[in-house]
Amino acid sequence: MGYASIKTSLPGNRSRELLERRQQAVPKGVSFGAPLFAQSAEGALIQDVDGNTFIDFVGAIGTINVGHCHPKVKQALHEQIDQFIHTGFNIMMYEAYIELAERLARIAPGNHDKKVLFQNSGAEAVENAVKIARKYTKRQGIVSFSKGFHGRTLLTMTMTSKVKPYKYEFGPFAPEIYKAPYPYHFRRPQGLTIDQYEEYMVEEFRNFLITEVAPETIAAVVMEPVQGEGGFIIPGKRFVQGVYEACKEYGILFIADEIQTGFARTGRYFAIDHFDVVPDIITVSKSMGAGVPISGVIGRKEMMDQSDPGELGGTYSGSPLGCRAALAVLDIIEEEQLNEKAQKIGFRVIEKFEQLYDKYECIGDIRGLGAMCAMEIVEDRLTKTPSKKLTNEIIQEANKRGLLLLSAGVYGNVIRLLMPIIITDEQLDEGLKILEQSIETVEQRRHIFTN
Ligand SMILES: Cc1ncc(COP(=O)(O)O)c(C=O)c1O
């Protein structure tokens, strides 16, 4: 018997009722992937309020690497609730915050001394990383990258690339933010090999420091080692190292935004580990808390110590529940060897993607780093015209069969996989099979309409 099980039309009656209430009470600006409401979740499965079971290839957008409701996370949370829920770390401190800081400092790349600050959300972590970089360098400029995503606050929205829906009519934006080009191998100019293209992109970055902003005014470059919302775009080592070298040359801090890529997603604790670069600062969140809001900034000691008491922090920042969940997550990654598991998932997914690529013309590109895998959907391979329409149709077909999927990319035409890394082989295979059936159905329909 399969794991996915759809017993009602979607959405079912109970979800429909809740959707109606949601439409009255919640602004439409808060989007939803599927018109469904959750009842329970465990491992890589979610059950909705109508009794339908879905295999989860979204993991709350990369938040559930250790799986839904992992017993160790639940136990840690129960224990913490029985002790105390919140004292405010800036009022009465607690050990879990310190222990988490110590452990993250140990696993983050580089042998230098580090300190760690905790917040609640990814955007807050990026905001704080920028504050720390500015305070330390006494410079104001911040460089982020085209197609990047860093959050929805004023500063992080400014640093983000995709105009609609993230920025449209939300200006004026924060000053002193500059956007540098980021490689996109699939859409590179024709005639360039990947090596030539990477070299060209490093030169472009150097040119950017001449044409757009003077390097001595830049506090930090903030880079996603693999772009998440941007469409799971993986740069080459040459580009990441080239940018890093330029940073070192001009005293610019290198900040790796690991909010989507961290905590075993790519087969390492941090994706930047693949590029042999030691960032000055790393931002983390999402899977760090297994669903409990927590984020962090890991940085060189001397940088983190520039701010005076009260200049950093927040009411709920680094809450006891968040810290306890994150400590459990670190234990699980180690004990269940999730880095190795993510690599195995990646092999399995890419193997399947290669078969699908050979069969279906709408798959323009397949790519992945560890368990951070994606396929890019196009109208045809010759023009590479992005097809958001086909992408959405595939996702809807998958939902109907009991698989949760999510798109990404500036053109909305990338299907990204962020399944819990604890997913079983059988669940993974079943999910990939549903993905195949969904593509097959959409391709057949397309051919009926075009022939
Ligand atoms: C790379 C990256 N940075 C920052 C953020 C913002 O995180 P949050 O939504 O928790 O503010 C995200 C969220 O998707 C992200 O992927």
Side-chain angles (χ1 to χ4, degrees):
M1 202 189 81
Y3 291 92
S5 153
I6 301 301
K7 299 174 177 161
T8 68
S9 61
L10 294 183
N13 287 341
R14 183 79 184 112
S15 273
R16 253 179 232 277
E17 278 167 34
L18 290 169
L19 199 58
E20 189 66 34
R21 278 171 56 196
R22 183 222 132 102
Q23 270 151 4
Q24 298 303 320
V26 180
K28 66 180 188 313
V30 182
S31 64
F32 52 86
L36 302 170
F37 288 80
Q39 178 69 34
S40 60
E42 200 182 342
L45 301 177
I46 304 186
Q47 202 167 68
D48 78 359
V49 285
D50 293 288
N52 300 304
T53 305
F54 297 83
I55 297 175
D56 185 7
F57 272 15
V58 182
I61 322 187
T63 303
I64 311 290
N65 287 0
V66 301
H68 292 281
C69 299
H70 194 291
K72 286 223 155 113
V73 174
K74 278 168 56 173
Q75 191 191 338
L77 292 175
H78 284 305
E79 280 172 14
Q80 185 58 51
I81 285 174
D82 288 342
Q83 284 170 5
F84 59 91
I85 294 177
H86 197 57
T87 56
F89 190 74
N90 46 2
I91 300 301
M92 170 86 77
M93 298 175 283
Y94 33 88
E95 187 175 348
Y97 192 117
I98 315 291
E99 192 184 335
L100 184 60
E102 289 167 348
R103 286 183 67 177
L104 286 176
R106 271 203 299 278
I107 59 171
N111 296 324
H112 52 278
D113 289 336
K114 298 164 209 142
K115 286 197 170 183
V116 188
L117 159 83
F118 296 113
Q119 299 289 339
N120 303 289
S121 67
E124 263 187 294
V126 176
E127 290 262 354
N128 279 274
V130 167
K131 276 171 70 175
I132 289 162
R134 284 181 168 162
K135 192 91 178 176
Y136 178 75
T137 59
K138 310 281 184 280
R139 301 173 180 180
Q140 294 184 353
I142 297 294
V143 173
S144 58
F145 290 89
S146 61
K147 307 184 298 299
F149 182 89
H150 301 285
R152 288 184 173 83
T153 59
L154 177 61
L155 177 71
T156 57
M157 166 182 72
T158 308
M159 292 165 66
T160 287
S161 251
K162 194 171 172 180
V163 179
K164 288 184 182 178
Y166 301 126
K167 305 171 77 152
Y168 189 58
E169 296 178 338
F170 287 135
F173 300 109
E176 288 306 312
I177 305 297
Y178 301 89
K179 211 64 67 52
Y182 190 93
Y184 196 167
H185 292 177
F186 176 56
R187 297 187 181 278
R188 69 184 184 277
Q190 269 187 350
L192 289 187
T193 63
I194 288 191
D195 285 350
Q196 289 166 336
Y197 177 58
E198 283 275 313
E199 207 54 56
Y200 164 77
M201 290 305 292
V202 174
E203 268 171 45
E204 282 290 281
F205 185 75
R206 294 265 174 184
N207 284 335
F208 166 87
L209 298 178
I210 296 168
T211 57
E212 298 299 323
V213 55
E216 60 271 24
T217 65
I218 304 173
V221 162
V222 185
M223 181 192 282
E224 290 166 87
V226 176
Q227 288 186 326
E229 299 298 311
F232 283 24
I233 297 175
I234 309 164
K237 223 178 197 177
R238 175 71 192 110
F239 176 73
V240 178
Q241 292 187 346
V243 170
Y244 182 73
E245 281 156 18
C247 287
K248 293 296 114 187
E249 204 174 307
Y250 293 110
I252 300 168
L253 308 195
F254 185 96
I255 301 178
D257 182 344
E258 294 266 5
I259 287 163
Q260 194 157 154
T261 47
F263 294 88
R265 173 53 50 188
T266 68
R268 305 275 178 92
Y269 276 103
F270 303 100
I272 199 70
D273 288 332
H274 293 278
F275 298 92
D276 296 331
V277 156
V278 177
D280 298 298
I281 295 176
I282 300 177
T283 55
V284 286
S285 188
K286 287 194 185 272
S287 273
M288 172 184 185
V292 182
I294 182 159
S295 65
V297 183
I298 308 165
R300 289 181 187 272
K301 182 169 175 256
E302 64 279 15
M303 296 169 186
M304 301 299 282
D305 270 338
Q306 276 297 306
S307 302
D308 287 324
E311 291 183 352
L312 305 172
T315 305
Y316 276 114
S317 297
S319 76
L321 290 170
C323 291
R324 289 297 297 269
L327 286 168
V329 164
L330 291 178
D331 288 342
I332 296 162
I333 293 177
E334 219 173 286
E335 286 162 16
E336 299 186 21
Q337 301 183 330
L338 293 196
N339 282 314
E340 293 74 13
K341 183 114 202 286
Q343 289 169 27
K344 285 191 193 135
I345 290 174
F347 286 132
R348 227 178 161 100
V349 169
I350 292 296
E351 195 180 25
K352 181 72 182 180
F353 275 14
E354 280 167 355
Q355 290 166 13
L356 301 182
Y357 182 86
D358 289 342
K359 270 170 91 174
Y360 303 109
E361 172 74 13
C362 70
I363 303 175
D365 190 33
I366 52 178
R367 47 188 182 249
L369 191 62
M372 193 164 180
C373 301
M375 57 169 65
E376 183 151 348
I377 305 297
V378 293
E379 278 171 20
D380 62 83
R381 286 190 192 152
L382 195 65
T383 64
K384 299 184 179 178
T385 307
S387 183
K388 187 174 175 173
K389 180 172 172 291
L390 289 179
T391 308
N392 289 339
E393 285 176 17
I394 294 168
I395 291 173
Q396 278 164 17
E397 286 298 328
N399 287 172
K400 279 194 223 162
R401 293 169 169 80
L403 174 69
L404 296 181
L405 280 181
L406 184 67
S407 67
V410 283
Y411 310 113
N413 72 320
V414 176
I415 295 177
R416 58 171 145 176
L417 305 192
L418 286 166
M419 66 284 282
I421 298 168
I422 51 76
I423 193 166
T424 66
D425 290 348
E426 295 75 29
Q427 290 166 343
L428 180 63
D429 289 346
E430 186 178 330
L432 290 171
K433 182 92 200 132
I434 294 178
L435 175 60
E436 175 169 13
Q437 290 163 350
S438 307
I439 299 172
E440 169 85 28
T441 303
V442 169
E443 276 290 36
Q444 273 177 1
R445 202 158 51 209
R446 178 158 81 127
H447 288 120
I448 292 168
F449 282 119
T450 46
N451 289 336

